[in-house]
Amino acid sequence: MEQNNLTIWQRLSKTFGPNSLLNMDGPTYKLDKKVLLRTPDKQEYEKEKLQMQQSLYISDNWKKIENNLYAQAVYYEPTRLSAFYDYESMEYTPEISTALDIYSEESTTPNQDGYVLQIYSESKRVKSILADLFNKVLDLSINLPMWIRNTCKYGDNFVYLKLDAEKGIVGCLQLPNIEIERLERGMEARTMTANLGPEADFKHKTMKFVWKNKDMEFNTWEMAHFRLLGDDRKLPYGTSMLEKARRIWKQLVLAEDAMLIYRTSRAPERRVFKVFVGNMDDKDVEAYVQRVANKFKRDQVVDSKTGNVDLRFNQMAVDQDYFIPVRDPAATMPIETLAGAQNLSEIADIEYIQKKLVTALRIPKAYLGFEEAVGDGKNLSLLDIRFARTINKIQKSVIAELNKIAIIHLFLLGFEDELGNFTLGLTNPSKQADLLMIDVWKEKVTLYKDMVTEIPNTIQPTSATWAKKHIFGFSDEDIKLEIQQIRLERAVAAEIANTATVITHTGLFDNVDKLYKTVSGETASAGGAAAGGSPPAGGPPPPPGGEPMMDGVEKSNFDILLESDNIFGDEYIDLSKGKNSLGAIEKELEKLLNG
C-alpha cells in the first residue's frame, strides 16, 4: 500500500536512491527497541552484546569513510578545474585532436545493419521501445560520438535527461562538464527548497548533481554521467584519456616553440661589412660606421593616411648584419657572408617527446600518420588488437550509463518487471581481433576432435565430457544442457527429413502448374515425347499442326512459354498467326494474376 501511494518520481527516487538495489545505502542499526534480548543464558547474552558492539564500530567506520571521501573530493575539485583548462588547450594540438576523433569514431563503429548500438532482448516490445528511445529520441548516431569524445577528453560527460511521467525520456541536453559537480553520499549539498533557503547546507542520503554557476540541483535519475574510471584519486569523477599526456604535451609545446625561435633567429644568413677607417680618430669611428651602414638601407616611408612607418623598404636591419671597422687597407673580402644554422634537420628531441606523447595516448602511430605499416601490415594488426582493448574499455563505460538511461525509460513507462530484460552492445572496431578469436576457436575445435577420436587398435585419448570441460571450459550443467539440445536438434532434423511423407501437397506451385499442360494429370515422360512418338493412351490429342510433346508441354507452345508464358490453362495462343498482339497477351496475363 505504501508503494501505491507514492508518485512516479518518488518511486524512481527509491529505485535509484539509498533504499534501492544499487547498494548506495550504508549499514543502519536500530537500537531504540524496548527489549533487545531476553535470555537466561549468560553466554548468549555476552555473544549478542559483543555483536552489537562490533556492529556499532562498523557503522562508525562507514561514517568516517564517507567523510574522508568527501574531503578527498573537495581537495580534488580545484585540481579538476585546472586539468579541464589544460584539456581545452590540448585540443589545439593536431595529434591530440586527431586522437580524440579516433577514440570517438572507433567506439561508434556501425554494424552491418548501419546501427551504432545493438539491442538484445527476449521481449520484442522492450526491444522496440529501446530502439525508438536510442535511435529516434536520443539520436545516438549523432549524439553518441560527441558524448564519447567529451568523455575521453575530460574523463566525464554530463547529459541532462528530459523526463515525462507518461512518455519516459523525451529528450536530452548536453551540460558544460566544467560546471557540474557530483556529490556522493555524505557530502554536504546546497538545497534549493523554499523552506530552508538557498544557503542551507545538509548531508543528503543519496547522490546528487549540482550545477554550481546556476545554483541548480539534480537527482541521480535526471542526469546521465558518463565517466572513465581509471584513477581512484580522482573519484567520484572519471579519468581523462589525456591525463597521462598533460606533462608531455607541455614539454612538446615548449620544445616546438624553442625550435621555431631558433630557426627564425639563426637560420637566416648574415653579412659582415668591413669599413675601412684608416687613421681616423677612435671617437669618430662609430659615427662614421653608422653613417656608412645607413647608406646600405633604404629610407623609411611614412604612410600619409595612417601615419605609420612603412618598413617594407628597409632592406636590412642593424641586428641582422654586422659593420666592422678595419684599419688595414690590405684586408681582403670587404663583405663576408656568415652561414646560417646548419643543424635545422636535427629534431631528434622533438621526435622523442612526440613518441612519448603517442605512447601516452595509447594509439598506434600509423593511425596518426607518423609511420607506414610494415611487415605486410602484421605489426599494425597486432597493434590494432591492442588498441581495440582500449576502445572496449571506453565502450564498457559508455554502455554502463546507457543501461541506466534505458532502465529509467522503462521504469517510467511501467515496465518495472522488465528492467533487466535487455542487453546493450557496441560494435567491436577491430576485425583483426575477431579473426584472432576465430583462429583460437579453430584450434580448440581441432584439438577437441583429436582428443575424442579413437586411435586404431586402442581407445580415444579422452572422453567427450572431459574434452568439453577442459578445452571449451564447459561446466557439468553446460554439458548436460548441450546434450539435451543435441537430442532436440536431431529430432528436428528427423522431422525435416520426413517432411515429404507428412506434407504431400503445399499448394505453393499451383499457379505455376497451370501454365504447363500435363498428360493424365502428370508430366509426360521424356522418352516418347522427345522421340516424337505418339502420346500415351487416354491423353489429349496434339495441338493443331501435330507438334510432339516435350515433358508435358506441347512443342508448338514451348517457344511461346519461354518468351512470354502465354499458356493459360487449356487455352493456346498462336503468335505466328498474328491474332494476338503483345498488348492483348499482357492483358490476359493481368487477368490471370488478378484472379
Side-chain angles (χ1 to χ4, degrees):
M1 291 298 295
E2 181 183 357
Q3 186 74 7
N4 295 333
N5 293 330
L6 299 178
T7 65
I8 184 65
W9 308 116
Q10 290 173 329
R11 289 192 287 117
L12 193 60
S13 297
K14 271 185 167 292
T15 304
F16 286 90
N19 298 326
S20 67
L21 299 178
L22 301 181
N23 299 324
M24 296 173 59
D25 197 12
T28 56
Y29 305 97
K30 297 181 180 180
L31 302 178
D32 56 348
K33 298 180 180 179
K34 295 181 179 180
V35 178
L36 295 178
L37 177 66
R38 284 182 180 179
T39 178
D41 190 352
K42 183 178 180 181
Q43 184 178 1
E44 184 179 357
Y45 168 77
E46 294 293 339
K47 176 183 177 182
E48 189 69 21
K49 179 181 177 181
L50 178 61
Q51 180 174 336
M52 187 60 64
Q53 291 175 348
Q54 292 173 342
S55 299
L56 291 176
Y57 174 76
I58 293 175
S59 179
D60 291 339
N61 282 346
W62 180 270
K63 295 179 181 178
K64 292 179 182 178
I65 291 174
E66 284 186 339
N67 294 333
N68 291 334
L69 290 177
Y70 168 64
Q72 177 181 347
V74 172
Y75 173 77
Y76 171 64
E77 186 66 20
T79 308
R80 171 174 170 258
L81 298 181
S82 62
F84 273 29
Y85 289 119
D86 283 347
Y87 300 151
E88 289 291 341
S89 301
M90 295 169 72
E91 176 78 19
Y92 296 98
T93 303
E95 296 90 340
I96 295 178
S97 179
T98 303
L100 293 175
D101 293 337
I102 291 176
Y103 291 139
S104 175
E105 294 169 359
E106 295 293 320
S107 300
T108 57
T109 304
N111 61 358
Q112 61 271 15
D113 298 325
Y115 293 103
V116 173
L117 183 68
Q118 290 82 52
I119 305 171
Y120 309 94
S121 177
E122 296 179 358
S123 173
K124 292 184 178 180
R125 188 175 183 186
V126 171
K127 183 176 181 180
S128 175
I129 290 174
L130 294 182
D132 181 74
L133 167 67
F134 290 119
N135 296 328
K136 295 181 181 180
V137 178
L138 299 181
D139 196 8
L140 286 192
S141 60
I142 302 298
N143 291 325
L144 190 58
M146 176 184 65
W147 294 348
I148 293 180
R149 194 179 193 279
N150 283 342
T151 304
C152 296
K153 179 179 178 181
Y154 300 107
D156 304 279
N157 187 60
F158 300 93
V159 178
Y160 175 73
L161 304 176
K162 298 180 182 179
L163 304 178
D164 186 89
E166 297 179 355
K167 300 179 181 179
I169 299 177
V170 296
C172 62
L173 287 175
Q174 174 69 45
L175 298 182
N177 296 322
I178 197 171
E179 299 179 8
I180 305 299
E181 184 178 1
R182 174 177 175 141
L183 301 180
E184 296 283 352
R185 271 186 50 85
M187 297 183 183
E188 296 181 358
R190 178 174 296 176
T191 181
M192 292 299 296
T193 56
N195 297 332
L196 300 179
E199 300 299 330
D201 292 335
F202 70 101
K203 291 187 177 181
H204 55 76
K205 296 183 179 180
T206 184
M207 187 178 66
K208 298 284 185 181
F209 293 92
V210 177
W211 192 346
K212 295 178 293 186
N213 292 356
K214 304 297 182 181
D215 209 6
M216 298 175 63
E217 188 176 282
F218 306 97
N219 292 295
T220 177
W221 40 266
E222 293 181 274
M223 190 77 65
H225 180 197
F226 298 88
R227 56 178 180 168
L228 297 177
L229 297 178
D231 191 346
D232 60 334
R233 297 174 300 172
K234 302 183 182 302
L235 291 175
Y237 302 99
T239 305
S240 171
M241 297 295 292
L242 309 181
E243 177 64 26
K244 296 180 178 61
R246 284 176 62 191
R247 178 174 175 271
I248 304 172
W249 167 75
K250 293 178 181 179
Q251 292 176 344
L252 180 63
V253 172
L254 291 175
E256 289 178 345
D257 291 344
M259 179 186 67
L260 293 177
I261 293 174
Y262 175 79
R263 288 174 180 271
T264 55
S265 60
R266 295 297 181 183
E269 293 182 351
R270 301 191 181 191
R271 293 176 177 81
V272 177
F273 293 84
K274 298 179 181 179
V275 181
F276 179 69
V277 294
N279 295 327
M280 188 178 299
D281 189 17
D282 294 340
K283 297 180 180 180
D284 299 332
V285 169
E286 182 178 356
Y288 176 74
V289 171
Q290 185 65 34
R291 187 167 60 253
V292 173
N294 290 335
K295 291 183 179 180
F296 285 89
K297 300 179 183 179
R298 297 185 181 181
D299 296 335
Q300 296 179 351
V301 177
V302 179
D303 192 342
S304 59
K305 296 181 180 179
T306 61
N308 297 329
V309 177
D310 192 349
L311 299 179
R312 289 179 298 175
F313 296 95
N314 191 356
Q315 186 177 3
M316 53 187 175
V318 177
D319 58 349
Q320 291 181 354
D321 296 307
Y322 302 95
F323 292 85
I324 307 298
V326 294
R327 296 184 182 276
D328 186 6
T332 59
M333 297 293 296
I335 300 177
E336 294 182 359
T337 301
L338 297 179
Q342 303 297 321
N343 58 343
L344 298 181
S345 60
E346 300 295 332
I347 57 172
D349 52 344
I350 303 294
E351 292 178 348
Y352 169 73
I353 299 175
Q354 201 172 53
K355 288 180 180 179
K356 294 178 63 177
L357 178 66
V358 175
T359 303
L361 295 176
R362 303 180 67 178
I363 294 180
K365 293 185 66 175
Y367 285 15
L368 299 176
F370 287 115
E371 62 182 18
E372 298 294 335
V374 295
D376 296 332
K378 294 180 180 179
N379 294 338
L380 183 58
S381 299
L382 298 177
L383 293 175
D384 179 69
I385 295 174
R386 182 65 189 86
F387 177 65
R389 297 175 182 173
T390 302
I391 296 299
N392 290 336
K393 173 187 173 183
I394 299 173
Q395 290 178 336
K396 289 179 181 179
S397 301
V398 173
I399 289 175
E401 203 63 22
L402 293 178
N403 283 330
K404 173 186 172 183
I405 295 175
I407 290 175
I408 294 173
H409 186 65
L410 293 176
F411 189 94
L412 292 176
L413 294 181
F415 292 86
E416 297 185 28
D417 297 333
E418 302 283 347
L419 297 183
N421 189 14
F422 68 91
T423 303
L424 303 179
L426 293 172
T427 308
N428 186 357
S430 175
K431 299 300 181 184
Q432 299 295 333
D434 294 338
L435 294 176
L436 180 61
M437 182 61 64
I438 293 174
D439 292 338
V440 171
W441 277 103
K442 284 182 179 179
E443 294 296 331
K444 286 186 176 181
V445 171
T446 303
L447 178 61
Y448 173 80
K449 291 180 180 179
D450 295 339
M451 296 292 285
V452 301
T453 301
E454 184 176 352
I455 302 175
N457 302 325
T458 182
I459 60 175
Q460 61 191 33
T462 63
S463 64
T465 302
W466 188 95
K468 290 178 180 178
K469 183 180 296 185
H470 292 83
I471 296 177
F472 296 127
F474 288 178
S475 64
D476 293 337
E477 293 297 327
D478 293 336
I479 294 175
K480 293 179 182 179
L481 179 61
E482 186 200 14
I483 294 175
Q484 294 174 358
Q485 292 174 344
I486 292 175
R487 183 176 181 182
L488 290 176
E489 290 174 358
R490 289 187 178 181
V492 172
E495 290 184 12
I496 294 176
N498 199 33
T499 301
T501 59
V502 177
I503 305 175
T504 58
H505 181 73
T506 62
L508 181 63
F509 304 103
D510 288 348
N511 58 341
V512 179
D513 293 340
K514 291 180 181 180
L515 302 180
Y516 293 84
K517 294 188 67 67
T518 60
V519 180
S520 299
E522 296 181 356
T523 304
S525 61
S534 60
E547 296 291 342
M549 302 289 294
M550 291 184 60
D551 292 342
V553 183
E554 297 136 345
K555 178 64 176 65
S556 58
N557 293 346
F558 193 75
D559 297 334
I560 301 173
L561 177 65
L562 293 178
E563 294 179 1
S564 55
D565 296 343
N566 293 321
I567 299 177
F568 306 96
D570 295 332
E571 298 180 7
Y572 170 69
I573 301 176
D574 189 1
L575 292 179
S576 61
K577 297 182 180 180
K579 294 181 179 180
N580 298 282
S581 63
L582 291 177
I585 295 173
E586 292 177 355
K587 292 181 180 179
E588 293 296 333
L589 281 173
E590 288 183 356
K591 291 180 182 179
L592 178 62
L593 295 177
N594 295 332

